[in-house]
Short mmCIF file of all heavy atoms in Angstrom, two decimals:
data_model
loop_
_atom_site.label_atom_id
_atom_site.label_comp_id
_atom_site.label_asym_id
_atom_site.label_seq_id
_atom_site.Cartn_x
_atom_site.Cartn_y
_atom_site.Cartn_z
N GLU P 1 144.29 113.72 128.07
CA GLU P 1 144.31 112.63 127.11
C GLU P 1 144.33 113.10 125.67
O GLU P 1 144.86 112.41 124.79
CB GLU P 1 143.09 111.73 127.34
CG GLU P 1 143.11 111.02 128.69
CD GLU P 1 141.86 110.19 128.94
OE1 GLU P 1 140.96 110.18 128.07
OE2 GLU P 1 141.78 109.56 130.00
N HIS P 2 143.74 114.28 125.38
CA HIS P 2 143.61 114.71 123.99
C HIS P 2 144.20 116.10 123.72
O HIS P 2 144.11 116.58 122.59
CB HIS P 2 142.13 114.70 123.59
CG HIS P 2 141.48 113.36 123.74
ND1 HIS P 2 141.70 112.32 122.87
CD2 HIS P 2 140.64 112.88 124.70
CE1 HIS P 2 141.01 111.26 123.26
NE2 HIS P 2 140.36 111.57 124.37
N GLY P 3 144.78 116.73 124.74
CA GLY P 3 145.38 118.04 124.54
C GLY P 3 144.38 119.14 124.23
O GLY P 3 144.73 120.15 123.60
N THR P 4 143.14 118.97 124.67
CA THR P 4 142.10 119.96 124.39
C THR P 4 142.43 121.30 125.06
O THR P 4 142.81 121.34 126.23
CB THR P 4 140.74 119.46 124.89
OG1 THR P 4 140.41 118.24 124.21
CG2 THR P 4 139.64 120.47 124.63
N ALA P 5 142.27 122.36 124.31
CA ALA P 5 142.40 123.71 124.87
C ALA P 5 141.02 124.21 125.23
O ALA P 5 140.05 123.96 124.52
CB ALA P 5 143.04 124.65 123.84
N ILE P 6 140.90 124.91 126.37
CA ILE P 6 139.59 125.31 126.88
C ILE P 6 139.54 126.82 127.10
O ILE P 6 140.46 127.41 127.67
CB ILE P 6 139.29 124.59 128.21
CG1 ILE P 6 139.19 123.07 128.00
CG2 ILE P 6 137.98 125.11 128.83
CD1 ILE P 6 139.01 122.27 129.29
N VAL P 7 138.47 127.43 126.60
CA VAL P 7 138.13 128.81 126.96
C VAL P 7 136.99 128.71 127.96
O VAL P 7 135.89 128.28 127.61
CB VAL P 7 137.70 129.63 125.73
CG1 VAL P 7 137.32 131.05 126.16
CG2 VAL P 7 138.81 129.67 124.68
N LEU P 8 137.25 129.07 129.19
CA LEU P 8 136.27 128.92 130.28
C LEU P 8 135.69 130.28 130.62
O LEU P 8 136.37 131.14 131.18
CB LEU P 8 136.95 128.29 131.50
CG LEU P 8 136.09 128.06 132.74
CD1 LEU P 8 134.95 127.08 132.44
CD2 LEU P 8 136.94 127.54 133.89
N ILE P 9 134.42 130.47 130.28
CA ILE P 9 133.73 131.73 130.54
C ILE P 9 132.85 131.53 131.77
O ILE P 9 131.96 130.67 131.77
CB ILE P 9 132.87 132.14 129.32
CG1 ILE P 9 133.77 132.37 128.11
CG2 ILE P 9 132.05 133.38 129.63
CD1 ILE P 9 133.02 132.53 126.82
N THR P 10 133.08 132.30 132.81
CA THR P 10 132.34 132.07 134.04
C THR P 10 132.39 133.29 134.95
O THR P 10 133.28 134.14 134.83
CB THR P 10 132.91 130.84 134.79
OG1 THR P 10 132.15 130.59 135.97
CG2 THR P 10 134.36 131.05 135.17
N HIS P 11 131.40 133.37 135.85
CA HIS P 11 131.44 134.38 136.90
C HIS P 11 131.98 133.76 138.19
O HIS P 11 132.19 134.47 139.17
CB HIS P 11 130.04 134.93 137.17
CG HIS P 11 129.13 133.91 137.78
ND1 HIS P 11 128.48 132.94 137.05
CD2 HIS P 11 128.80 133.68 139.08
CE1 HIS P 11 127.78 132.17 137.86
NE2 HIS P 11 127.96 132.59 139.10
N ASP P 12 132.20 132.44 138.19
CA ASP P 12 132.62 131.72 139.38
C ASP P 12 134.15 131.76 139.49
O ASP P 12 134.86 130.99 138.84
CB ASP P 12 132.13 130.27 139.32
CG ASP P 12 132.30 129.52 140.64
OD1 ASP P 12 133.25 129.84 141.38
OD2 ASP P 12 131.50 128.62 140.92
N LEU P 13 134.65 132.65 140.33
CA LEU P 13 136.10 132.81 140.46
C LEU P 13 136.76 131.59 141.09
O LEU P 13 137.94 131.35 140.86
CB LEU P 13 136.41 134.07 141.26
CG LEU P 13 136.01 135.38 140.57
CD1 LEU P 13 136.17 136.55 141.53
CD2 LEU P 13 136.82 135.61 139.31
N GLY P 14 136.00 130.82 141.88
CA GLY P 14 136.55 129.59 142.44
C GLY P 14 136.87 128.58 141.36
O GLY P 14 137.91 127.90 141.39
N VAL P 15 135.98 128.45 140.37
CA VAL P 15 136.22 127.55 139.24
C VAL P 15 137.43 128.03 138.44
O VAL P 15 138.27 127.23 138.02
CB VAL P 15 134.96 127.47 138.34
CG1 VAL P 15 135.27 126.72 137.05
CG2 VAL P 15 133.83 126.78 139.08
N VAL P 16 137.53 129.33 138.22
CA VAL P 16 138.67 129.89 137.50
C VAL P 16 139.97 129.59 138.22
O VAL P 16 140.97 129.17 137.61
CB VAL P 16 138.50 131.41 137.31
CG1 VAL P 16 139.77 132.04 136.75
CG2 VAL P 16 137.34 131.69 136.38
N ALA P 17 139.99 129.77 139.53
CA ALA P 17 141.20 129.52 140.31
C ALA P 17 141.64 128.07 140.21
O ALA P 17 142.84 127.77 140.19
CB ALA P 17 140.96 129.90 141.78
N GLY P 18 140.67 127.15 140.13
CA GLY P 18 141.00 125.73 140.09
C GLY P 18 141.30 125.20 138.71
O GLY P 18 141.94 124.15 138.57
N MET P 19 140.86 125.91 137.66
CA MET P 19 140.96 125.37 136.30
C MET P 19 141.90 126.15 135.38
O MET P 19 142.57 125.56 134.53
CB MET P 19 139.57 125.36 135.65
CG MET P 19 138.64 124.26 136.12
SD MET P 19 139.09 122.62 135.50
CE MET P 19 138.81 122.83 133.72
N ALA P 20 141.94 127.46 135.50
CA ALA P 20 142.58 128.29 134.47
C ALA P 20 144.09 128.41 134.65
O ALA P 20 144.61 128.45 135.77
CB ALA P 20 141.96 129.68 134.46
N ASP P 21 144.78 128.45 133.53
CA ASP P 21 146.21 128.77 133.52
C ASP P 21 146.40 130.28 133.43
O ASP P 21 147.26 130.85 134.10
CB ASP P 21 146.90 128.10 132.32
CG ASP P 21 146.76 126.59 132.36
OD1 ASP P 21 147.26 125.98 133.31
OD2 ASP P 21 146.13 126.01 131.44
N ARG P 22 145.61 130.92 132.56
CA ARG P 22 145.64 132.36 132.41
C ARG P 22 144.22 132.90 132.50
O ARG P 22 143.26 132.17 132.27
CB ARG P 22 146.25 132.76 131.05
CG ARG P 22 147.72 132.46 130.93
CD ARG P 22 148.28 132.96 129.60
NE ARG P 22 147.69 132.25 128.45
CZ ARG P 22 147.03 132.85 127.47
NH1 ARG P 22 146.83 134.18 127.50
NH2 ARG P 22 146.55 132.16 126.46
N VAL P 23 144.10 134.19 132.82
CA VAL P 23 142.79 134.82 132.99
C VAL P 23 142.76 136.16 132.27
O VAL P 23 143.73 136.92 132.30
CB VAL P 23 142.46 135.04 134.49
CG1 VAL P 23 141.04 135.59 134.66
CG2 VAL P 23 142.63 133.76 135.29
N GLN P 24 141.62 136.43 131.61
CA GLN P 24 141.35 137.76 131.07
C GLN P 24 140.09 138.29 131.75
O GLN P 24 139.07 137.60 131.78
CB GLN P 24 141.13 137.71 129.55
CG GLN P 24 142.40 137.39 128.78
CD GLN P 24 142.29 137.73 127.31
OE1 GLN P 24 143.28 138.04 126.68
NE2 GLN P 24 141.10 137.67 126.75
N VAL P 25 140.18 139.48 132.29
CA VAL P 25 139.05 140.12 132.95
C VAL P 25 138.46 141.14 131.99
O VAL P 25 139.18 142.00 131.46
CB VAL P 25 139.50 140.83 134.25
CG1 VAL P 25 138.30 141.46 134.95
CG2 VAL P 25 140.19 139.84 135.18
N MET P 26 137.13 141.03 131.74
CA MET P 26 136.47 141.93 130.79
C MET P 26 135.53 142.88 131.51
O MET P 26 134.88 142.52 132.49
CB MET P 26 135.69 141.12 129.74
CG MET P 26 136.56 140.31 128.81
SD MET P 26 135.62 139.59 127.43
CE MET P 26 135.23 141.08 126.47
N TYR P 27 135.49 144.10 130.98
CA TYR P 27 134.55 145.10 131.48
C TYR P 27 134.13 145.98 130.32
O TYR P 27 134.98 146.50 129.58
CB TYR P 27 135.19 145.96 132.59
CG TYR P 27 134.21 146.90 133.24
CD1 TYR P 27 133.32 146.43 134.21
CD2 TYR P 27 134.13 148.24 132.88
CE1 TYR P 27 132.40 147.28 134.80
CE2 TYR P 27 133.21 149.09 133.45
CZ TYR P 27 132.34 148.61 134.43
OH TYR P 27 131.43 149.45 135.00
N ALA P 28 132.83 146.13 130.13
CA ALA P 28 132.27 146.98 129.06
C ALA P 28 132.85 146.64 127.69
O ALA P 28 133.16 147.52 126.89
CB ALA P 28 132.50 148.45 129.39
N GLY P 29 133.01 145.33 127.44
CA GLY P 29 133.45 144.88 126.12
C GLY P 29 134.94 144.87 125.88
O GLY P 29 135.38 144.51 124.80
N ARG P 30 135.72 145.27 126.88
CA ARG P 30 137.18 145.30 126.71
C ARG P 30 137.87 144.46 127.79
O ARG P 30 137.35 144.32 128.90
CB ARG P 30 137.70 146.74 126.80
CG ARG P 30 137.25 147.63 125.66
CD ARG P 30 137.86 149.02 125.77
NE ARG P 30 137.42 149.89 124.69
CZ ARG P 30 138.00 149.95 123.50
NH1 ARG P 30 139.08 149.23 123.25
NH2 ARG P 30 137.53 150.76 122.56
N VAL P 31 139.04 143.96 127.44
CA VAL P 31 139.88 143.30 128.44
C VAL P 31 140.56 144.38 129.27
O VAL P 31 141.24 145.26 128.72
CB VAL P 31 140.94 142.40 127.77
CG1 VAL P 31 141.87 141.80 128.83
CG2 VAL P 31 140.26 141.28 126.99
N VAL P 32 140.37 144.33 130.59
CA VAL P 32 140.99 145.34 131.46
C VAL P 32 142.17 144.79 132.23
O VAL P 32 142.98 145.56 132.76
CB VAL P 32 139.95 145.94 132.43
CG1 VAL P 32 138.87 146.70 131.67
CG2 VAL P 32 139.33 144.88 133.32
N GLU P 33 142.28 143.46 132.33
CA GLU P 33 143.46 142.87 132.96
C GLU P 33 143.69 141.49 132.38
O GLU P 33 142.75 140.73 132.12
CB GLU P 33 143.31 142.78 134.48
CG GLU P 33 144.57 142.26 135.16
CD GLU P 33 144.65 142.56 136.66
OE1 GLU P 33 143.73 143.21 137.18
OE2 GLU P 33 145.63 142.14 137.29
N ARG P 34 144.96 141.18 132.18
CA ARG P 34 145.38 139.88 131.65
C ARG P 34 146.56 139.40 132.47
O ARG P 34 147.53 140.14 132.67
CB ARG P 34 145.77 140.01 130.19
CG ARG P 34 146.26 138.74 129.54
CD ARG P 34 146.81 139.03 128.15
NE ARG P 34 145.74 139.43 127.24
CZ ARG P 34 145.86 140.41 126.36
NH1 ARG P 34 146.97 141.13 126.30
NH2 ARG P 34 144.86 140.70 125.55
N ALA P 35 146.48 138.17 132.99
CA ALA P 35 147.56 137.67 133.85
C ALA P 35 147.46 136.16 133.97
O ALA P 35 146.44 135.55 133.61
CB ALA P 35 147.47 138.30 135.24
N SER P 36 148.52 135.54 134.47
CA SER P 36 148.41 134.15 134.86
C SER P 36 147.43 134.07 136.03
O SER P 36 147.25 135.04 136.78
CB SER P 36 149.77 133.58 135.27
OG SER P 36 150.20 134.17 136.50
N ALA P 37 146.78 132.92 136.19
CA ALA P 37 145.83 132.78 137.30
C ALA P 37 146.52 133.01 138.64
O ALA P 37 145.96 133.65 139.53
CB ALA P 37 145.18 131.39 137.25
N ARG P 38 147.73 132.52 138.76
CA ARG P 38 148.46 132.68 140.02
C ARG P 38 148.68 134.15 140.35
O ARG P 38 148.42 134.61 141.46
CB ARG P 38 149.81 131.96 139.93
CG ARG P 38 150.69 132.09 141.17
CD ARG P 38 152.01 131.35 140.98
NE ARG P 38 152.88 131.54 142.13
CZ ARG P 38 153.70 132.58 142.29
NH1 ARG P 38 153.73 133.53 141.35
NH2 ARG P 38 154.46 132.68 143.35
N ASP P 39 149.16 134.93 139.36
CA ASP P 39 149.42 136.35 139.59
C ASP P 39 148.14 137.13 139.85
O ASP P 39 148.09 138.03 140.69
CB ASP P 39 150.16 136.96 138.40
CG ASP P 39 151.63 136.57 138.35
OD1 ASP P 39 152.16 136.15 139.40
OD2 ASP P 39 152.23 136.68 137.28
N LEU P 40 147.09 136.79 139.12
CA LEU P 40 145.84 137.53 139.25
C LEU P 40 145.25 137.39 140.65
O LEU P 40 144.82 138.36 141.27
CB LEU P 40 144.83 137.04 138.21
CG LEU P 40 143.55 137.89 138.16
CD1 LEU P 40 143.70 138.98 137.11
CD2 LEU P 40 142.33 137.05 137.86
N PHE P 41 145.22 136.15 141.15
CA PHE P 41 144.63 135.95 142.47
C PHE P 41 145.56 136.38 143.60
O PHE P 41 145.09 136.75 144.68
CB PHE P 41 144.23 134.48 142.65
CG PHE P 41 142.99 134.10 141.89
CD1 PHE P 41 143.06 133.57 140.62
CD2 PHE P 41 141.73 134.31 142.44
CE1 PHE P 41 141.91 133.24 139.91
CE2 PHE P 41 140.58 133.98 141.74
CZ PHE P 41 140.67 133.45 140.47
N ARG P 42 146.85 136.35 143.34
CA ARG P 42 147.79 136.77 144.37
C ARG P 42 147.81 138.29 144.52
O ARG P 42 147.85 138.81 145.64
CB ARG P 42 149.20 136.27 144.01
CG ARG P 42 150.29 136.68 144.99
CD ARG P 42 151.64 136.12 144.58
NE ARG P 42 152.01 136.55 143.24
CZ ARG P 42 152.60 137.71 142.97
NH1 ARG P 42 152.88 138.56 143.95
NH2 ARG P 42 152.91 138.03 141.73
N ALA P 43 147.77 139.00 143.38
CA ALA P 43 147.89 140.46 143.44
C ALA P 43 147.19 141.08 142.24
O ALA P 43 147.85 141.44 141.25
CB ALA P 43 149.37 140.87 143.47
N PRO P 44 145.87 141.24 142.29
CA PRO P 44 145.16 141.88 141.17
C PRO P 44 145.58 143.34 141.05
O PRO P 44 145.78 144.02 142.05
CB PRO P 44 143.69 141.74 141.58
CG PRO P 44 143.72 141.64 143.07
CD PRO P 44 144.97 140.88 143.40
N LEU P 45 145.67 143.82 139.80
CA LEU P 45 146.15 145.18 139.57
C LEU P 45 145.05 146.16 139.17
O LEU P 45 145.13 147.33 139.51
CB LEU P 45 147.25 145.17 138.50
CG LEU P 45 148.56 144.51 138.89
CD1 LEU P 45 149.56 144.61 137.76
CD2 LEU P 45 149.13 145.15 140.16
N HIS P 46 144.06 145.72 138.43
CA HIS P 46 143.01 146.64 138.01
C HIS P 46 141.99 146.81 139.13
O HIS P 46 141.62 145.83 139.79
CB HIS P 46 142.32 146.12 136.74
CG HIS P 46 141.54 147.17 136.03
ND1 HIS P 46 140.27 147.56 136.45
CD2 HIS P 46 141.83 147.94 134.94
CE1 HIS P 46 139.82 148.50 135.64
NE2 HIS P 46 140.73 148.76 134.72
N PRO P 47 141.51 148.01 139.39
CA PRO P 47 140.52 148.21 140.45
C PRO P 47 139.26 147.35 140.27
O PRO P 47 138.66 146.92 141.26
CB PRO P 47 140.19 149.71 140.35
CG PRO P 47 141.40 150.32 139.74
CD PRO P 47 141.95 149.30 138.79
#
């Protein structure tokens, strides 16, 4: 209704899968993987 953009910070990967268009995975203060939600859950690349 309002075109709101959302930054969703969570440990719940189920919520991310249902809500997010894109995902950034962080480790030790850095982004270690960036992908569309579809690509990330289909074939994650970072260990």
